[in-house]
Amino acid sequence: MSIEIPGPRELAEHCDRAARITNRVRPETVADVPRGWARVRAGGESDEFASTGFNRVHWFTLESAITDEELRETVGVLRSRGVRRAFFWMNAAGCEGSGLSALERIDAVLVPHVRYVVLARRGGTCVPTRASTLVVRGMSARELPSVLGAMGERFSPESARAACKLVESGIAEAFAAFDGDVPAAFAALIPDRAGDGFGHLGWAGTVSGSRGRGGQSALIAARVSRAAELGLRWCVSETNTVIPTSLNNLIRLGFVAALEWKVFRWDDRAGA
């Protein structure tokens, strides 16, 4: 039996909007590049890993191969802002055939051994597949700083500030799972009211001592249910396969893999 989910184009456009929306609270600036946009923080190299790298180019909505000219212009934008390393996130169509050859000509290398997956399901009442002693509730902007501060091992001061700004500005709703009065896990829901409405599940983290206790499953269920309350038809989440816990939690709660980003690492060898 097939499961109803949005089409690839709808999902790609939603993920692009969600990334742009959340970038408003981050220190990186946005620069236009051909058929996409770049999130850049000037000076030096980005992180070693794609998921945490702050310099990145988003080509989620590409429907045809990237070209040499588009890559030359993009590299020029990155260099003009002092960027020496960036990760290119793209729809698979962008790196097929001639697109892959063009990426190879600028020494962009596919990130190995990991898949970057977009999953989706209908919004609706959702119940965790197993019970947890952790208690989940929504968080106000006022109480969020102390909650994230207590989870300092999981959220850097910069990440915590950005999460607080998301909620303060009304971009996101925050949820946390508690062991008594102690916060054990956190996650956010970013509403996107374009089309039939999407709820983007992101910004999740669990403190090390509380992993395996069902906190994130409960937070997924709470956000899927909340999305339905807000009148959002779809729920979407992005994860990867390095640590499969998140992926497995989403699948158990009715999400299905719908898209897969191809991620390339570019280092400025010519400009070094």
Side-chain angles (χ1 to χ4, degrees), residues 121-127 221 224-226 228:
R121 60 154 286 169
R122 288 288 298 264
T125 302
C126 187
V127 179
V224 170
S225 298
R226 177 58 178 158

Side-chain angles (χ1 to χ4, degrees), residues 114-135:
V114 57
R115 294 168 54 215
Y116 298 90
V117 186
V118 181
L119 300 100
R121 60 154 286 169
R122 288 288 298 264
T125 302
C126 187
V127 179
T129 55
R130 64 187 180 96
S132 173
T133 57
L134 302 177
V135 177

Side-chain angles (χ1 to χ4, degrees), residues 197-211:
F198 298 81
H200 201 92
L201 280 61
W203 292 72
T206 304
V207 297
S208 56
S210 294
R211 290 173 187 154

Side-chain angles (χ1 to χ4, degrees), residues 11-239:
L11 283 172
E13 290 176 344
H14 158 68
C15 289
D16 192 73
R17 286 191 300 271
R20 286 179 181 268
I21 289 168
T22 56
N23 198 71
R24 295 175 191 167
V25 302
R26 297 180 62 94
E28 294 85 13
T29 59
V30 170
D32 289 330
V33 299
R35 292 199 287 163
W37 57 285
R39 191 183 86 185
V40 295
R41 186 185 296 179
E45 296 179 349
S46 181
D47 198 298
E48 181 180 355
F49 302 107
S51 295
T52 53
F54 45 77
N55 289 326
R56 54 172 69 191
V57 177
H58 288 261
W59 278 311
F60 288 165
T61 59
L62 285 183
E63 292 187 304
S64 60
I66 199 76
T67 68
D68 289 295
E69 181 57 35
E70 288 170 334
L71 288 172
R72 278 193 295 271
E73 187 173 336
T74 298
V75 167
V77 169
L78 296 174
R79 285 176 175 160
S80 72
R81 287 161 172 77
V83 174
R84 297 174 54 198
R85 172 182 297 157
F87 292 94
F88 298 164
W89 292 70
M90 60 203 318
N91 202 313
C95 56
E96 291 177 348
S98 62
L100 180 59
S101 299
L103 287 159
E104 289 173 344
R105 281 190 283 274
I106 63 165
D107 296 321
V109 180
L110 184 68
V111 174
H113 313 308
V114 57
R115 294 168 54 215
Y116 298 90
V117 186
V118 181
L119 300 100
R121 60 154 286 169
R122 288 288 298 264
T125 302
C126 187
V127 179
T129 55
R130 64 187 180 96
S132 173
T133 57
L134 302 177
V135 177
V136 170
R137 64 179 177 86
M139 306 295 302
S140 69
R142 179 180 299 176
E143 59 189 324
L144 194 54
S146 63
V147 168
L148 294 180
M151 298 177 65
E153 67 164 69
R154 187 61 185 83
F155 289 92
S156 68
E158 182 180 293
S159 294
R161 283 193 296 271
C164 290
K165 287 180 182 177
L166 279 176
V167 178
E168 290 167 1
S169 63
I171 293 172
E173 294 190 7
F175 298 80
F178 290 84
D179 183 358
D181 294 329
V182 179
F186 170 83
L189 174 71
I190 297 97
D192 170 17
R193 298 191 179 278
D196 291 329
F198 298 81
H200 201 92
L201 280 61
W203 292 72
T206 304
V207 297
S208 56
S210 294
R211 290 173 187 154
R213 298 180 60 189
Q216 285 301 331
S217 289
L219 287 166
I220 292 168
R223 288 175 291 166
V224 170
S225 298
R226 177 58 178 158
E229 292 175 1
L230 293 172
L232 306 172
R233 185 178 184 186
W234 306 112
C235 291
V236 179
S237 190
E238 298 174 74
T239 189

